[in-house]
Amino acid sequence: MNLAPRIAMFVLVGIPAVAIITRVLRLKATTVVAVLQDATPVLLILAWVGLAMATIRASWVVAAVAALLCAYHLVLIARLVHRVEAPSWTRAAPKARVAVANVYVDNDDMEAAARQLAATEAEVLVVVETTERFRAAFDAVGGRDRFPHAVFDPDDDSDYAVSLYTNIADASLGMIDIGPLRATLARVPLGNRMLHVVGAIPVAAVDRGGYGTWRRQLRALSRYAASHRGPLVIVGDLNTTIHRAAFTELRDAGLADAHDTLGKGLRPSFKLAAAGALARLGPLVRLDHALCNRKVWATRVDDLDAAGSDHRPFVVTLAVRPSRSRRLATPMSAPRTPTIGSR
C-alpha cells in the first residue's frame, strides 16, 4: 500500500490542527508551536488541500476533521475582515497620528526608510530595531527638523533598541522598564486627556531562549496595560501575531488591535527576508501592532512601504475619549524611571 498520500493527508490536516488546538486550549507553547500559531491563517489553507485529498480517497475521519478546520478558517477570515463599528464619541474626540516602524538593523537602504518616516504626517513616531546608523540617517534627511523631540537608550546596541520621536512640544518623553521589557513612553496631551504611547519590541521567540523571555515580557506588558486607567496605546513589533495563544492575555487586559478592529486583520506586515527570493513572497503575517485600551479607538490605519526592511510600517489615527472634566490636559513631568538618553 502506498503510504505517501495517507501521510500527506495527515500532515496537511495535522499541522493546522495542532496550531488551532493548542491556541484554543491555551496550552503551554514551545517556540515551534508559537510559530505555528502565528501562521494560523496561512496554515489553514493546508486543511483545504487535506479535505480534497481525504474526500477523494474516502478517508472520512480525516475529511471530517479537515472540514471542521475549513469551517474554522472561514469564520476566522470573516472576523478578520469585519470592521467593528466605532463608538459615537470618536466623531468629536481629539485625535493623534502615530507612525510605527521596524526599520531592520541590517537595512541596506536605511536612508530610504528614514526619509519615508520623516515625511509622514504623524505627530508621534515609534521606531524599533534602531541603530546609530538609522538615527544619523533620520537626522540627515530632515527628521530632526520634523520631529525635534526624541528619546532612546544610547547604551542599547542590541537588535531590540527602540526610539520615539514627536513634534508635540508639550509631550513628556522617557524610557521605562515594564518588567524585563525596556520601552519608550510618551505622554501626549489631547484635549482634557493624557494619551500614553508605549513603544516596545519584545524579543523574538526564535532567538535562543527567546520564547521564555518573550513570554515574560508579554506577561509584564499585559499587567501594565491592565493596571493603566487612562488612555493607552502600545505600539511596535511585538514579535507575535494576534493568533498566538499568549496574545489573549493582551486582549484580557482590555487591548484591541487597530488593524483587527478596522477590518484589516488580513493585512500582514512581516516578510521572511528583507531582500532576495524569500522577500518576493511578500509579507505573510502581522507582527507589528497598535494595541488600544478602551479609552482609545483607531479610526484609520495606513500601511507604508517596507523601504529595505523585512517589516512594513504603518500610520494609525487614534481618537482619545474625552473625560467629563472640562480641564485641559497639561504637560506632566517625566516618567518615574528617568530618561537616560535623548537628542
Side-chain angles (χ1 to χ4, degrees):
M1 179 184 295
N2 188 355
L3 293 178
R6 182 168 294 182
I7 293 174
M9 283 190 301
F10 278 97
V11 169
L12 291 169
V13 175
I15 291 178
V18 168
I20 299 302
I21 292 171
T22 55
R23 179 180 182 273
V24 171
L25 297 180
R26 299 193 186 187
L27 299 179
K28 186 175 181 180
T30 64
T31 299
V32 173
V33 171
V35 172
L36 289 178
Q37 292 171 349
D38 283 340
T40 293
V42 177
L43 288 179
L44 283 170
I45 297 173
L46 300 177
W48 292 92
V49 181
L51 175 60
M53 289 185 62
T55 301
I56 291 171
R57 298 184 62 82
S59 298
W60 302 119
V61 174
V62 178
V65 174
L68 289 175
L69 292 172
C70 292
Y72 182 94
H73 196 197
L74 292 175
V75 172
L76 178 63
I77 290 175
R79 188 187 68 78
L80 292 174
V81 299
H82 171 69
R83 182 184 179 115
V84 180
E85 184 177 356
S88 59
W89 59 260
T90 60
R91 289 192 289 271
K95 296 178 176 63
R97 289 163 296 190
V98 179
V100 184
N102 179 327
V103 292
Y104 182 46
V105 291
D106 294 321
N107 195 322
D108 290 331
D109 199 357
M110 197 68 83
E111 184 177 326
R115 183 178 291 108
Q116 175 179 238
L117 295 176
T120 64
E121 297 294 326
E123 289 81 36
V124 179
L125 172 61
V126 173
V127 190
V128 300
E129 292 198 26
T130 52
T131 60
E132 289 185 10
R133 189 163 64 97
F134 167 78
R135 290 193 286 267
F138 187 72
D139 289 348
V141 300
R144 178 187 290 268
D145 299 327
R146 176 76 176 83
F147 297 92
H149 313 288
V151 64
F152 54 87
D153 185 345
D155 296 326
D156 188 353
D157 58 359
S158 72
D159 291 349
Y160 298 101
V162 56
S163 301
L164 186 147
Y165 302 84
T166 184
N167 53 26
I168 301 175
D170 289 341
S172 172
L173 309 182
M175 301 296 303
I176 59 172
D177 292 314
I178 302 175
L181 180 64
R182 191 70 166 151
T184 58
L185 171 63
R187 288 168 169 161
V188 181
L190 283 178
N192 58 7
R193 288 280 198 179
M194 192 70 67
L195 171 64
H196 286 218
V197 181
V198 173
I201 174 171
V203 303
V206 295
D207 285 0
R208 185 173 183 178
Y211 181 76
T213 302
W214 174 87
R215 193 71 184 79
R216 290 189 294 274
Q217 290 176 329
L218 189 87
R219 185 176 293 115
L221 203 58
S222 301
R223 290 172 178 167
Y224 176 86
S227 65
H228 193 85
R229 295 294 174 258
L232 171 71
V233 60
I234 297 173
V235 301
D237 172 10
L238 301 186
N239 274 308
T240 179
T241 70
I242 64 173
H243 309 291
R244 191 179 294 185
F247 192 90
T248 56
E249 292 184 18
L250 294 171
R251 285 203 177 99
D252 292 343
L255 299 175
D257 179 82
H259 282 82
D260 202 16
T261 57
L262 289 170
K264 298 182 179 181
L266 288 179
R267 290 192 178 182
S269 68
F270 173 70
K271 300 185 292 183
L272 294 177
L278 291 177
R280 296 190 185 98
L281 296 174
L284 298 176
V285 296
R286 172 161 294 282
L287 302 182
D288 306 270
H289 305 275
L291 305 181
C292 309
N293 73 359
R294 294 181 178 90
K295 293 182 175 66
V296 182
W297 193 269
T299 61
R300 175 172 178 168
V301 66
D302 297 292
D303 294 316
L304 307 177
D305 294 331
S309 176
D310 52 354
H311 290 251
R312 292 183 64 188
F314 66 90
V315 179
V316 60
T317 302
L318 303 172
V320 175
R321 185 170 190 170
S323 72
R324 295 180 180 179
S325 171
R326 294 185 178 181
R327 296 174 56 188
L328 293 178
T330 56
M332 300 177 67
S333 60
R336 292 181 182 178
T337 301
T339 301
I340 62 173
S342 62
R343 65 147 171 77

